[in-house]
Amino acid sequence: LANALICMADTHHLEATALVAEIARRASEGELLQNERSRKLDMDETTYFQMIADKTGALISCSCELGAIASRGSARDRSALREYGLHAGIAFQIRDDLFDYTADQSIIGKSKGRDLKERNLTLPIIHALNRATRSEVRSVLSRIRRGLNRKELREINLFVADYGGLDYAQEKINFHSGRAIQALAHFQESEAKTSLIRFIEYNRNRNK
């Protein structure tokens, strides 16, 4: 992000530089929020969505809006691409978080349970914990605090699946994917618009 700010400063485009600076601030706040909640293991769904909106959502949103700025797009163009990028980023991050429970390491290079081992509570387990009994919640959080072995990791994965955490996360991917595509309705049909829609559809069901 610091390098991005330096590059933007070299363009002497104050509006674009200010946009990237704002994203740097939001991303930093999102990272600090995640670190704080990871220590306490008290991530809730509202905070989770705030965090990923400030990190992945804001980063992709900024990238899309910079495209409108660079091409001298209208205020409406900028708003539409900003909205598209925000929801595309949120959907992308939820999909990535799902891999913690469904990953094939040989395909994506990410092993199952990495987030849990790092005490990062993401949407699938947040939803499962919201539906579980108090005793189940205490047991699961106690295991995560203590550190998970393979057997416990498998058990927590089953816990998340049984309480609908995986299906719920996919529902949210579908919702934000739809919001992203809706944001593009402002633009006329074009190869660029088709590419942006295809990216959303790819992310909706990607396995890597």
Side-chain angles (χ1 to χ4, degrees):
L1 288 170
N3 285 333
L5 284 169
I6 292 170
C7 291
M8 291 308 304
D10 287 341
T11 68
H12 304 290
H13 195 301
L14 294 180
E15 193 172 20
T17 303
L19 177 61
V20 175
E22 170 64 12
I23 297 309
R25 181 190 66 79
R26 288 184 64 184
S28 299
E29 288 180 349
E31 187 68 27
L32 289 171
L33 179 62
Q34 180 176 1
N35 290 340
E36 176 187 357
R37 292 304 177 98
S38 295
R39 287 195 300 272
K40 297 179 180 179
L41 280 181
D42 65 347
M43 182 73 75
D44 56 57
E45 186 171 329
T46 299
T47 305
Y48 168 82
F49 275 106
Q50 175 189 338
M51 180 192 70
I52 65 173
D54 282 343
K55 294 176 66 179
T56 314
L59 181 61
I60 297 181
S61 178
C62 173
S63 301
C64 293
E65 188 173 355
L66 286 173
I69 292 173
S71 60
R72 295 181 175 84
S74 66
R76 191 175 177 190
D77 293 338
R78 288 182 56 178
S79 177
L81 286 172
R82 184 190 313 126
E83 184 79 358
Y84 166 85
L86 173 65
H87 290 287
I90 290 173
F92 185 91
Q93 186 60 59
I94 298 173
R95 168 61 64 197
D96 206 55
D97 290 341
L98 259 178
F99 287 149
D100 205 48
Y101 302 89
T102 64
D104 182 339
Q105 187 174 5
S106 65
I107 295 176
I108 70 168
K110 176 182 178 179
S111 59
K112 288 183 181 180
R114 189 177 70 183
D115 287 334
L116 288 175
K117 290 175 182 176
E118 295 175 355
R119 300 175 61 168
N120 292 327
L121 302 186
T122 56
L123 187 59
I125 194 169
I126 291 170
H127 179 74
L129 290 169
N130 285 339
R131 299 186 63 192
T133 65
R134 289 185 178 181
S135 62
E136 287 175 315
V137 170
R138 287 194 296 269
S139 174
V140 168
L141 294 182
S142 176
R143 292 182 182 192
I144 295 173
R145 285 192 184 94
R146 188 173 61 244
L148 299 169
N149 57 39
R150 289 185 179 181
K151 179 177 180 294
E152 289 174 322
L153 194 56
R154 286 193 298 270
E155 291 172 349
I156 289 181
N157 282 349
L158 289 173
F159 162 80
V160 170
D162 288 344
Y163 275 109
L166 306 183
D167 292 336
Y168 184 73
Q170 184 62 54
E171 288 176 15
K172 290 300 182 180
I173 291 171
N174 293 338
F175 172 78
H176 287 283
S177 295
R179 290 287 301 274
I181 292 173
Q182 287 173 11
L184 298 176
H186 159 64
F187 298 102
Q188 294 182 351
E189 298 304 315
S190 66
E191 185 178 344
K193 179 178 177 178
T194 298
S195 293
L196 291 175
I197 293 173
R198 284 178 176 172
F199 169 74
I200 295 298
E201 297 300 343
Y202 162 73
N203 178 69
R204 196 193 296 261
N205 299 300
R206 68 188 171 95
N207 62 359
K208 61 181 179 179

